[in-house]
Amino acid sequence: MGDGISSFWGPVTSSTDWCEQNYVYSSYIAEFFNTASNIPGILLALIGLVNALRQRFEKRFSVLHLSNITLAIGSMLFHATLQKLQQQGDETPMVWEMLLYIYILYSPDWHYRSTMPTFLFLYGAIVAVVHSQIRFEIGFKVHYAVLCLLCIPRMYKYYIYTDDRSAKRLAKLYVVTLLLASLCWLCDRVFCKDISHWYLNPQGHALWHVLMGFNSYYANTFLMFCRAQQREWNPKVKHLMGIFPYVKIEKTKVK
């Protein structure tokens, strides 16, 4: 804890306290960098949400961008307070978000339209209830990793069946940001004792937040492109301000 700054939220009750000194800059924010680093993810999700709404993509993509925003806000509250209740508000949306990705990835080939969303909804609800009563620290991480791994085969299938170079670049950026983010997260956890003695903390977990914000944005944009291809909407990857990629579509008019 920072010298001379008291904790507004009281003692830490979360099962995890990350490798950042608590309450260094404010008595209202336990981990300043881990809290503020969620802002880029929120802004990127807003860009994706506006594009999805403006071009009338399917509602699943609006919900996906909103889930990214919800997750980032939950993460901000958790890192700002380091309270058990807020940790629940951070971890449960992580599971829900991955279930939504699974739905978007696999639903086009699912013959029974109502079965998959019903199952995923019930599964997410059960996980939320169980997780609120029992703290699975390692188990949660393993469970989340398994959900992520379930998405990879279908993402790879979409990649190999996509000829557009710009879309393929989105998929590559998704992989690169995921690997870099995982490396930052791992180093922050494994080498925390050493890092805490450095003159300058590289804030590995904060970098994880920033990179995962971009990772989600690249994943969402790639999936929007692939879905537009399935619907024959003639998608093209454009760039906002020459930097942020987005999908522009041309829906066929019904005569």
Side-chain angles (χ1 to χ4, degrees), residues 173-185:
L173 287 170
Y174 160 78
V175 174
V176 170
T177 50
L178 179 60
L179 292 175
L180 289 175
S182 300
L183 180 62
C184 291
W185 184 93

Side-chain angles (χ1 to χ4, degrees), residues 26-225:
S26 170
S27 60
Y28 299 100
I29 303 176
E31 296 176 335
F32 178 82
F33 291 104
N34 287 347
T35 301
S37 56
N38 285 284
I39 295 175
I42 294 175
L43 296 177
L44 288 167
L46 283 173
I47 292 174
L49 177 62
V50 170
N51 184 44
L53 292 173
R54 184 172 60 85
Q55 299 196 81
R56 297 183 180 179
F57 271 86
E58 293 163 301
K59 291 181 180 178
R60 65 187 69 180
F61 291 106
S62 298
V63 175
L64 181 59
H65 292 299
L66 286 171
S67 73
N68 293 150
I69 295 172
T70 301
L71 176 57
I73 293 174
S75 180
M76 291 180 74
L77 293 174
F78 167 52
H79 287 289
T81 63
L82 290 179
Q83 298 298 299
K84 181 179 179 180
L85 179 62
Q86 301 303 336
Q87 184 175 7
Q88 174 75 14
D90 175 36
E91 293 178 345
T92 299
M94 291 173 65
V95 174
W96 291 345
E97 182 181 59
M98 293 314 303
L99 294 177
L100 183 56
Y101 275 118
I102 290 173
Y103 170 72
I104 290 174
L105 284 164
Y106 287 95
S107 62
D109 296 331
W110 196 260
H111 299 293
Y112 306 99
R113 295 183 63 183
S114 62
T115 306
M116 178 178 282
T118 301
F119 171 76
L120 293 176
F121 175 81
L122 292 175
Y123 183 84
I126 292 171
V127 169
V129 172
V130 174
H131 190 48
S132 67
Q133 301 301 315
I134 305 173
R135 181 57 56 194
F136 299 105
E137 185 174 355
I138 297 178
F140 171 80
K141 294 179 176 64
V142 173
H143 177 237
Y144 182 73
V146 170
L147 293 178
C148 292
L149 290 173
L150 288 174
C151 296
I152 292 177
R154 186 50 59 98
M155 287 288 283
Y156 179 69
K157 179 182 178 180
Y158 282 0
Y159 175 81
I160 61 177
Y161 281 99
T162 301
D163 296 325
D164 189 272
R165 290 186 178 181
S166 297
K168 281 184 174 290
R169 191 178 300 115
L170 289 173
K172 291 175 182 177
L173 287 170
Y174 160 78
V175 174
V176 170
T177 50
L178 179 60
L179 292 175
L180 289 175
S182 300
L183 180 62
C184 291
W185 184 93
L186 191 63
C187 289
D188 189 75
R189 295 298 292 167
V190 175
F191 303 111
C192 181
K193 290 184 179 179
D194 297 322
I195 291 173
S196 60
H197 296 295
W198 293 2
Y199 176 75
L200 183 64
N201 186 337
Q203 305 297 344
H205 195 72
L207 290 174
W208 150 271
H209 286 158
V210 174
L211 288 168
M212 287 305 293
F214 278 94
N215 175 263
S216 297
Y217 182 76
Y218 293 137
N220 297 355
T221 307
F222 178 69
L223 290 177
M224 291 170 73
F225 181 93

